[in-house]
Amino acid sequence: MTAIHARLALLDGGWAEQVRLGIEDGIVVTVDRDARAEDADVRAGIVIPGLVNAHSHAFQRLLAGRTEQRGPGRDTFWTWRTRMYALARQVDAAVLETIATRVYTEMVATGYTTVAEFHYLHNEPGKTATGDAMFDALVAAAEASGIRLAYVPVLYERGGFDDGPPSDDQLRFVRKLDEFVAHYERVRAKAGASVSVGIGAHSLRAVRPASLQAVADIAARDEVPMHLHVAEQEREVDECLATFGTRPVAWLLDKMGVGANWCLVHATHLDGGETEALAASGAVVCLCPSTEANLGDGLFPLQPYLEAGGRIAIGSDSHVTVNPFEELRWLEYGQRLAMRTRNVAAVGRPETGRSLFEAALRGGAQAAGLSASGGLANGAPADLVVLDDDSPMLAGHSGRSLLDALVFSGFTLPIDRVMVAGAWQVEDGVHRAEASSAAAYTGLAKRIDLDEERP
Ligand code: ZN
């Protein structure tokens, strides 16, 4: 058994002092408060649970910083997507493994202990059906980085709401419904303690309603998370109104029986009725603040949604930044700028950083299909972060404001150690795969050329 003795730990029921956590087979098996340290214990200052990154497209990490030059017309999500497709054309299983190993390592180093990989890059370049090579690449990356992987294969079958055929670039993403379901069944059989499998659909524009229903039925049958991009762009809302006569989230709530196993990604453009009804559904909305800002998507109606009891998770999506505390900071700052007020997300308790952290912890666990609340408790996965007790960033803070300090104090995170499934991945502030993942990624990034692909 591994034991950690913490001066201060954020447990399921709140902060506690002099906590001794016993860990066996990747699970927390004992939680003792006001406990004395024993000789063999790992001494920790402050322990908090790891967070779930509930929405990732690992390959897009290589796009960060490469889409920030203004083009001849108006740059939008749709011009960005052209560049993303230019990258996707060059991503085979080996390239995916290199990028994913790097970005997953970065995630663990910043305190994410689980990633939900929303995966639609099913086919390798030049091939229409290559079995499970891309899944195998993601599993290898998860193992190399030590992150817990919630693999979410998503269905992609058409070019848009008009039911048009996929473009040449989109052929990389397309599998027929029966082929897609066969892939899901195969990878489910390969899942293990640190790899789970959910299911999803790319978006309302990329799948037919009957196929979406079929995928949702599988999710309900197997009690796995069901993920979907929705209402990220106003154009999608307009096209949905023109096609179905109703807004995307209203249509989903009406037709698809959205419930607690659903994770709606973005859901940026909601009217008041959708906001209330979505909160009441028990579903999770995965917000991706740095990507949504980078792409100019818009702002989610956070305060009315939280006040109605809505659940949120966070995701780093395109990975323009990989830092959960920065995502939470941006989530709050966007709202402050729009509403010209402060402490918007502090709904139900006064501390904003802690409110954001705990909402993302609970919602992330739900979105990834993890059992329980995501917090540290007896029987919970041993996924945790040890903060540096000597950090100037945390000096003078008690439990009451520690998470506020982490969210609102800047970039350099005072992370000493990170454990996933009972194994240390980060020690003395350094991830065990930091050097190897950086070397492989650097070599690749110098080879991949997107400039020729500029439209
Ligand atoms: Zn996405």
Side-chain angles (χ1 to χ4, degrees):
M1 187 173 86
T2 305
I4 303 170
H5 187 274
R7 181 180 69 78
L8 199 58
L10 184 61
L11 305 177
D12 240 0
W15 287 105
E17 294 184 2
Q18 306 300 327
V19 175
R20 190 161 185 271
L21 300 170
I23 291 154
E24 222 166 57
D25 297 330
I27 303 290
V28 177
V29 292
T30 56
V31 181
D32 297 312
R33 298 151 192 255
D34 299 318
R36 279 219 302 271
E38 297 188 11
D39 287 348
D41 290 0
V42 172
R43 303 297 184 97
I46 303 156
V47 171
I48 59 175
L51 285 170
V52 172
N53 189 344
H55 190 68
S56 162
H57 309 284
F59 76 96
Q60 293 179 12
R61 179 58 165 155
L62 214 138
L63 213 53
R66 297 191 188 217
T67 63
E68 311 302 329
Q69 301 88 35
R70 189 165 171 173
R74 179 169 170 249
D75 270 326
T76 64
F77 170 89
W78 307 101
T79 53
W80 171 86
R81 192 177 72 163
T82 307
R83 305 281 289 156
M84 185 269 281
Y85 284 175
L87 170 62
R89 260 176 246 149
Q90 303 178 60
V91 178
D92 60 14
V95 169
L96 179 62
E97 184 177 334
T98 299
I99 303 174
T101 298
R102 179 60 190 163
V103 73
Y104 290 172
T105 298
E106 292 173 321
M107 287 179 201
V108 172
T110 56
Y112 289 119
T113 49
T114 296
V115 60
E117 181 69 29
F118 187 100
H119 184 71
Y120 55 85
L121 204 51
H122 294 301
N123 307 318
E124 289 195 280
K127 304 175 189 173
T128 50
T130 51
D132 306 329
M134 301 299 260
F135 165 78
D136 293 337
L138 292 166
V139 171
E143 283 173 1
S145 65
I147 203 163
R148 192 181 291 281
L149 175 66
Y151 174 68
V152 182
V154 299
L155 180 66
Y156 201 111
E157 57 183 3
R158 64 179 186 175
F161 277 98
D162 62 359
D163 224 12
S167 69
D168 284 352
D169 282 325
Q170 292 166 342
L171 286 173
R172 294 286 313 284
F173 317 149
V174 170
R175 284 200 174 170
K176 293 197 174 72
L177 181 61
D178 58 346
E179 292 170 350
F180 170 78
V181 173
H183 167 73
Y184 162 79
E185 299 288 0
R186 280 196 306 275
V187 298
R188 231 167 108 72
K190 295 183 190 175
S194 293
V195 179
S196 61
V197 177
I199 199 166
H202 180 275
S203 54
L204 295 185
R205 67 176 183 274
V207 296
R208 297 179 189 95
S211 304
L212 180 62
Q213 183 69 66
V215 173
D217 287 348
I218 290 169
R221 180 196 72 195
D222 294 345
E223 297 181 344
V224 297
M226 165 77 198
H227 287 230
L228 178 76
H229 286 139
V230 71
E232 179 179 7
Q233 288 288 318
E234 285 174 307
R235 184 170 118 183
E236 183 193 321
V237 177
D238 294 342
E239 289 176 351
C240 188
L241 275 165
T243 308
F244 298 143
T246 182
R247 300 170 61 86
V249 170
W251 184 87
L252 271 179
L253 291 165
D254 182 39
K255 303 288 187 196
M256 290 289 151
V258 172
N261 71 318
W262 283 69
C263 176
L264 302 189
V265 182
H266 306 303
T268 310
H269 300 285
L270 301 178
D271 68 16
E274 288 176 303
T275 305
E276 293 268 328
L278 184 52
S281 75
V284 177
V285 171
C286 182
L287 300 167
C288 308
S290 64
T291 293
E292 289 156 7
N294 187 274
L295 297 178
D297 287 344
L299 282 173
F300 178 77
L302 185 68
Q303 197 167 49
Y305 177 76
L306 291 176
E307 283 177 348
R311 304 173 192 192
I312 60 166
I314 52 159
S316 63
D317 193 355
S318 70
H319 314 301
V320 283
T321 190
V322 183
N323 178 335
F325 300 95
E326 190 182 349
E327 297 294 344
L328 295 174
R329 182 166 60 241
W330 264 105
L331 177 56
E332 171 69 19
Y333 279 173
Q335 302 291 324
R336 290 188 190 187
L337 288 163
M339 298 172 70
R340 283 164 283 172
T341 183
R342 301 188 70 248
N343 295 318
V344 177
V347 173
R349 65 178 317 131
E351 308 93 344
T352 303
R354 182 162 173 189
S355 298
L356 287 162
F357 182 89
E358 293 198 339
L361 183 68
R362 279 193 304 275
Q366 184 177 330
L370 302 179
S371 57
S373 63
L376 291 173
N378 221 325
D383 297 352
L384 55 87
V385 176
V386 178
L387 302 172
D388 175 6
D389 216 4
D390 299 324
S391 161
M393 184 192 282
L394 305 180
H397 289 279
S398 65
R400 185 167 183 274
S401 59
L402 260 169
L403 289 163
D404 297 342
L406 276 176
V407 174
F408 294 106
S409 298
F411 289 96
T412 308
L413 291 169
I415 290 178
D416 184 28
R417 288 169 172 260
V418 180
M419 171 181 274
V420 187
W424 292 115
Q425 306 299 332
V426 174
E427 292 183 86
D428 291 329
V430 181
H431 192 292
R432 58 180 178 76
E434 167 58 30
S436 57
S437 68
Y441 179 88
T442 302
L444 175 71
K446 288 177 178 171
R447 280 206 314 277
I448 294 236
D449 182 4
L450 298 178
D451 288 341
E452 285 171 24
E453 308 278 356
R454 183 82 200 175

